[in-house]
Amino acid sequence: MTGDRDRNAAGRAEQARPRDELGRPLAYGAVGVEPISEEPRPPAETLAYARQLLDEGRPFAAHEALEVRWKSCPVEERELWQGLAQLCVGLTHHARGNAVGASRLVERAAGRLSAYELGGGPTYGLDLAALIGCARGRVAHG
């Protein structure tokens, strides 16, 4: 650690504090959840991993897994992976009790995913409209 920010060996900012299941930083030395790997995974594996993390009550980690894919995917798929990551951020805000943030992120993701679907890109078996509906239902009804 240098100064008041955690840095990796290359000097880039890196969060070294442990985090809870919703991605909130904990005190140094506290026991948090295991961080996810930042190695890109193939599409189907990314989706299965994100689903597992969601099933474990870790929407923030699911967002991170999808973000890794988004940053490493072919340019024509970025809207898909970014939209899926945003859905998970919306679910994270919902779980943290931030209803306004949850709704905004889910709607931003809905716009991105709807536009992507109209473009005809690969969805890897996902029903994007159903995912959007499910996320909207969760943030609207708790």
Side-chain angles (χ1 to χ4, degrees):
M1 196 166 77
T2 60
D4 64 345
R5 303 234 6 194
D6 298 331
R7 303 277 173 184
N8 65 18
R12 294 181 60 195
E14 185 176 83
Q15 183 57 259
R17 288 171 60 180
R19 293 188 172 263
D20 72 7
E21 67 280 354
L22 295 178
R24 295 174 291 216
L26 300 170
Y28 288 104
V31 177
V33 296
E34 184 71 27
I36 69 156
S37 167
E38 296 202 19
E39 282 296 313
R41 298 167 184 251
E45 192 177 322
T46 299
L47 292 171
Y49 185 46
R51 181 62 199 206
Q52 173 192 335
L53 292 165
L54 286 169
D55 289 346
E56 292 172 2
R58 297 181 61 193
F60 182 80
H63 145 263
E64 289 182 317
L66 293 162
E67 186 175 65
V68 168
R69 179 70 193 159
W70 154 37
K71 291 181 177 182
S72 64
C73 73
V75 68
E76 61 273 7
E77 292 182 17
R78 286 195 181 139
E79 292 295 299
L80 170 68
W81 299 104
Q82 188 175 15
L84 294 172
Q86 285 178 324
L87 278 182
C88 291
V89 173
L91 295 175
T92 300
H93 280 289
H94 173 68
R96 291 178 178 175
N98 178 0
V100 172
S103 179
R104 286 182 181 158
L105 263 296
V106 166
E107 289 311 309
R108 194 173 304 151
R112 191 176 301 279
L113 293 172
S114 295
Y116 178 82
E117 190 167 41
L118 289 174
T123 60
Y124 301 100
L126 296 174
D127 180 339
L128 298 180
L131 285 173
I132 292 166
C134 179
R136 281 177 171 154
R138 287 185 81 179
V139 302
H141 304 297

